[in-house]
Amino acid sequence: FSDPFLNRRRANDFIQADTRLRAITQERIRERSKAPQEHQRELCEDYYPCEMYASRHGYAAAYKHYFGRRRTK
């Protein structure tokens, strides 16, 4: 073996994909699809009265109080 350079096909045979890149990709996919509770909490954190209500009663109750369905007659 006198040639120090390999062609692309031969180089890809022994170089494995970086597992860290795969982990980063999976994390980004999880970030895009948030749980409904997490989305509700973020909405409540952005609205100051809701955040204050949540400090006393919890985020579920605060979200329901400020952003829950409102019944109209």
Side-chain angles (χ1 to χ4, degrees):
F1 189 78
S2 61
D3 188 14
F5 300 104
L6 299 173
N7 66 18
R8 290 181 186 170
R9 187 176 299 156
R10 179 108 170 107
N12 287 334
D13 287 343
F14 66 90
I15 295 178
Q16 298 296 321
D18 191 4
T19 57
R20 287 178 293 155
L21 291 177
R22 190 174 305 138
I24 290 170
T25 303
Q26 291 297 324
E27 181 64 26
R28 293 212 173 129
I29 289 170
R30 280 190 293 268
E31 285 177 359
R32 276 189 249 142
S33 57
K34 293 181 181 177
Q37 293 85 2
E38 186 176 355
H39 182 68
Q40 290 174 359
R41 183 176 179 142
E42 288 178 355
L43 281 174
C44 193
E45 286 175 347
D46 291 340
Y47 186 55
Y48 185 72
C50 184
E51 187 176 10
M52 295 307 295
Y53 192 91
S55 67
R56 291 185 179 180
H57 304 285
Y59 280 100
Y63 181 83
K64 189 175 181 180
H65 180 76
Y66 285 100
F67 301 107
R69 290 186 181 189
R70 298 183 192 274
R71 294 183 181 155
T72 58
K73 291 185 178 182

